[in-house]
Amino acid sequence: MDLPDQSVAQVPRLTGRDVKIATWICFLAWTFAVYDFVLFGNLLPELAADLGWSSSQSTGINTWVTAGTALVAFGVGPLVDRIGRRRGIIIAVVGAAVASALTALAGWVVGVVGGVGVVFLIVVRSLAGLGYAEQAINATYLNELFSHVYSDDPAMVRRRGLIYSLVQSGWPVGSVLAAVSIYLLFPVGGWSLCFLVAVFPALFMLWAARYLKESPQFAARHRAEMLLKQGRTEEAHRLAESAGIDLTDRSAPLASAFKGESLRSTVVIGTAFLLNWLGVLAFAILGTSLLTAPDGKNVAFTNALAILIVSNATAFAGYLFHGWLGDRIGRRNAIASGWILSALSFGAMLLVPNGSFGLIIALYSAGLFFLIGPYAALLFFNGESFPVHTRATGGGIINASGQVGAILGGLLITFSLSSGLSWTTAALIWGCLPILASGLLILGARNVDPHIARLD
């Protein structure tokens, strides 16, 4: 007996063209989300100067913002495992746009009502967690699409990591756009204009999202669960079997992420992600603060923006390299080697004498190449490490753990600066060492053969 037409109809059939369209849309969605996400950190020195915040106050406020971001990002994974990957992408794009628009308003409120305005600013910037969660949703969605469409093509299976690295390269592209917009827009309308401009790409993304199709794996699992609830058990298991989906675990995705094969991935990758984000906070999010501080590298603000542009262009190459490398030696091994080399590069950058502009930019670029580049492999590695039932949840937990690491990093850096330590020393202790530890810890994750596409 054939499956009911209704069951089949709710499981979309994708073509190579559908996957290409989805890949481009995910790239643009992530780029615009990153623009908003890093803009706050890049403009923090100017925002602090405008509102009269000290270095410790500004990093403290950023820590509260990061805490809110983590809470929002943590909730996105289970939501996407419930409502679908396509809807999750739309929610993330709209959330980033709303955060940008309200940030401009929040700055004015801070100037008028002080402390209450600061709370409002923290709440508003917490919404940026929806944009930050975009990368986890993209990884889940594209991992499933690639497996569904490319599983019969060994050549495409071997290039999945490289293709995804192009999507994840939205981080350095978005970072460069943010730095360029500061350079062009800040003299015209101040930091508020930079945030307002970030609203407009969301309108395009809402239009483009019409062309996204739901992941077949999610649709099959969702439809099978609906059939089970209706008592149509035989039909549910037939549908699941035809799609390669296991219905054994029907507990909530959040609980399932800490059971069975998902447990090791959640704990090991999540902890490594957490530690690494201490370094991301120190060298990427607060990079301008470190570079411009007199007790940091003492680089002029305009030169610091130039360093960010050049180094993020280098990080773009890092994404492609680590995506390509992960396809060959395994994504776990590519991540580990990159992060270890990143720690060494940033350590050398901090130790070179101030004023050595060429050497500073070379080492800073190398540090970002090996720090940010492995995320192209890491996000795709997340998708390979979980079944469809917990893929978005596990990826969301790991993604949110990065913000927990940023919280810890913010607290530790704030405490260090307020205790009299220099920016250089704080970044060495709370940036370089955690990056090194994350590179070693990720080796404890289960390695996945990059030449085999996971179909469930």
Side-chain angles (χ1 to χ4, degrees):
M1 176 179 177
D2 294 331
L3 287 171
D5 292 340
Q6 183 182 11
S7 298
V8 177
Q10 294 195 24
V11 180
R13 296 186 180 278
L14 274 67
T15 65
R17 182 175 181 272
D18 294 326
V19 175
K20 289 179 181 179
I21 291 173
T23 300
W24 277 107
I25 292 175
C26 287
F27 166 76
L28 293 173
W30 178 230
T31 298
F32 298 140
V34 169
Y35 174 91
D36 167 77
F37 188 71
V38 304
L39 201 60
F40 183 72
N42 289 349
L43 285 170
L44 192 57
E46 297 300 318
L47 187 62
D50 187 29
L51 299 175
W53 297 339
S54 65
S55 294
S56 59
Q57 284 177 312
S58 63
T59 54
I61 290 172
N62 188 71
T63 300
W64 282 107
V65 168
T66 306
T69 301
L71 289 175
V72 173
F74 179 81
V76 170
L79 178 67
V80 172
D81 273 331
R82 291 292 186 187
I83 68 173
R85 293 35 169 145
R86 179 182 177 275
R87 290 178 180 176
I89 291 173
I90 295 173
I91 290 173
V93 169
V94 172
V98 170
S100 292
L102 293 181
T103 299
L105 174 63
W108 177 81
V109 174
V110 172
V112 174
V113 296
V116 176
V118 171
V119 174
F120 179 57
L121 175 64
I122 291 171
V123 172
V124 165
R125 290 311 305 167
S126 296
L127 287 176
L130 290 171
Y132 170 73
E134 179 70 44
Q135 64 177 344
I137 304 172
N138 282 350
T140 297
Y141 181 54
L142 293 178
N143 197 292
E144 293 175 353
L145 263 58
F146 291 170
S147 295
H148 180 78
V149 175
Y150 298 149
S151 59
D152 295 330
D153 187 344
M156 291 302 296
V157 169
R158 290 194 297 269
R159 291 199 292 270
R160 289 175 302 148
L162 178 60
I163 296 171
Y164 179 76
S165 71
L166 292 169
V167 176
Q168 191 60 22
S169 66
W171 177 282
V173 173
S175 296
V176 169
L177 288 177
V180 170
S181 72
I182 293 173
Y183 180 79
L184 296 176
L185 300 176
F186 185 80
V188 177
W191 53 267
S192 59
L193 180 60
C194 298
F195 284 105
L196 287 175
V197 169
V199 177
F200 295 100
L203 301 177
F204 165 76
M205 292 308 306
L206 288 175
W207 171 82
R210 298 182 307 161
Y211 297 95
L212 291 176
K213 293 185 177 180
E214 185 54 82
S215 153
Q217 291 92 321
F218 170 81
R221 171 85 192 200
H222 182 70
R223 178 58 184 158
E225 290 181 342
M226 292 293 293
L227 291 172
L228 286 174
K229 290 179 181 179
Q230 295 169 10
R232 299 157 66 180
T233 305
E234 183 179 350
E235 295 175 18
H237 284 282
R238 284 168 58 87
L239 175 60
E241 183 179 353
S242 69
I245 304 298
D246 184 6
L247 291 178
T248 302
D249 185 1
R250 295 188 57 208
S251 57
L254 185 58
S256 297
F258 292 93
K259 296 190 302 184
E261 66 165 315
S262 298
L263 176 61
R264 179 177 174 184
S265 298
T266 301
V267 174
V268 175
I269 303 176
T271 305
F273 201 99
L274 183 154
L275 290 171
N276 192 259
W277 254 86
L278 271 75
V280 171
L281 177 82
F283 296 112
I285 304 301
L286 298 178
T288 50
S289 298
L290 167 64
L291 293 171
T292 58
D295 59 347
K297 302 315 294 180
N298 198 26
V299 176
F301 184 70
T302 54
N303 288 336
L305 290 178
I307 290 177
L308 288 177
I309 292 173
V310 173
S311 57
N312 276 288
T314 305
F316 175 83
Y319 275 121
L320 300 185
F321 172 76
H322 288 91
W324 170 85
L325 185 64
D327 281 334
R328 280 150 181 79
I329 68 172
R331 285 171 247 288
R332 184 197 67 178
N333 299 334
I335 297 163
S337 60
W339 284 349
I340 292 171
L341 290 173
S342 173
L344 297 177
S345 300
F346 280 130
M349 186 272 293
L350 293 173
L351 296 177
V352 300
N354 289 1
S356 305
F357 186 77
L359 192 55
I360 289 174
I361 192 171
L363 290 171
Y364 191 84
S365 298
L368 282 185
F369 181 93
F370 291 115
L371 174 67
I372 304 300
Y375 278 84
L378 178 66
L379 271 297
F380 202 77
F381 183 54
N382 287 350
E384 294 178 318
S385 301
F386 294 94
V388 64
H389 181 50
T390 59
R391 186 165 288 130
T393 299
I397 293 172
I398 292 170
N399 202 36
S401 71
Q403 291 301 283
V404 176
I407 295 169
L408 293 176
L411 291 172
L412 293 169
I413 290 175
T414 300
F415 175 78
S416 298
L417 294 177
S418 61
S419 299
L421 291 181
S422 68
W423 251 111
T424 299
T425 303
L428 185 64
I429 297 174
W430 305 121
C432 291
L433 293 182
I435 294 173
L436 179 62
S438 67
L440 297 173
L441 180 60
I442 197 70
L443 292 171
R446 183 178 61 254
N447 202 19
V448 178
D449 187 343
H451 300 148
I452 298 177
R454 182 167 188 164
L455 300 177
D456 64 335

